[in-house]
Amino acid sequence: MRVLFMCTANSCRSILSEAMFNHLAPHGFEAVSSGSFPKGQVLPRSLTTLQHAGISIEGLSSKGNDAFERCPPDIVITVCDNAAGEACPVYFSPALKTHWGLEDPSAVVADEASVDAAFRATLARIQSRCQAFFALPFENLDREQLKNELDRIATL
């Protein structure tokens, strides 16, 4: 199963989600990320947050949705409110779509310790949601039930 985490810039929340999902993923699951208007680079603090958590940053990059035109995802999860309101490319149409909104830790204007705490809190929330995702009984869920479960995870 291939999951796409989508945001606007693909530099922070979607990158953190991709890395955490892949860190926890059992065999047969893979996450990728993209942005509707990719920034072209991953925020350095996103990378250091992942490294401090012991999560690989290998292969992480800021990219657009067109990177997945030939290999569309099974599930699209938007993680920022701006991306949630955008139309997905037509080649994503068979994918289940859900929104797991996250506050943008890169928007926090405060001292370094507070900004670091915001990034860690966002990563912890992503971890909780990914764990709930992997706990789902996929073999027992039809498409509608899976969509309902994905929507429920957004409340965690």
Side-chain angles (χ1 to χ4, degrees):
M1 179 178 292
R2 187 171 205 181
V3 175
L4 171 65
F5 288 97
M6 199 171 102
C7 200
T8 305
N10 191 219
S11 63
C12 183
R13 292 167 283 179
S14 54
I15 293 288
L16 294 172
S17 298
E18 173 187 0
M20 178 59 78
F21 186 98
N22 287 333
H23 180 72
L24 298 172
H27 179 74
F29 289 87
E30 175 195 22
V32 291
S33 67
S34 73
S36 49
F37 300 96
K39 192 171 193 162
Q41 67 181 28
V42 177
L43 288 176
R45 195 177 299 263
S46 297
L47 299 175
T48 57
T49 299
L50 291 166
Q51 288 176 313
H52 287 139
I55 298 170
S56 174
I57 61 169
E58 186 177 334
L60 294 176
S61 66
S62 178
K63 57 209 153 296
N65 295 330
D66 56 343
F68 307 103
E69 185 171 5
R70 295 186 186 268
C71 188
D74 301 299
I75 297 172
V76 174
I77 301 173
T78 53
V79 292
C80 73
D81 293 339
N82 288 342
E86 296 172 357
C88 282
V90 69
Y91 44 85
F92 289 173
S93 63
L96 277 176
K97 296 165 191 73
T98 192
H99 178 60
W100 290 359
L102 295 165
E103 296 287 326
D104 185 358
S106 70
V108 172
V109 179
D111 60 88
E112 289 296 308
S114 297
V115 174
D116 282 341
F119 271 80
R120 285 192 311 273
T122 298
L123 190 62
R125 182 171 236 182
I126 293 166
Q127 180 177 3
S128 174
R129 290 176 177 177
C130 287
Q131 288 169 331
F133 178 94
F134 293 124
L136 293 175
F138 290 97
E139 63 282 350
N140 298 328
L141 298 174
D142 64 26
R143 187 173 172 86
E144 184 178 333
Q145 291 169 324
L146 178 55
K147 168 71 170 127
N148 290 338
E149 287 298 316
L150 293 173
D151 291 347
R152 180 189 60 77
I153 290 171
T155 65
L156 302 178

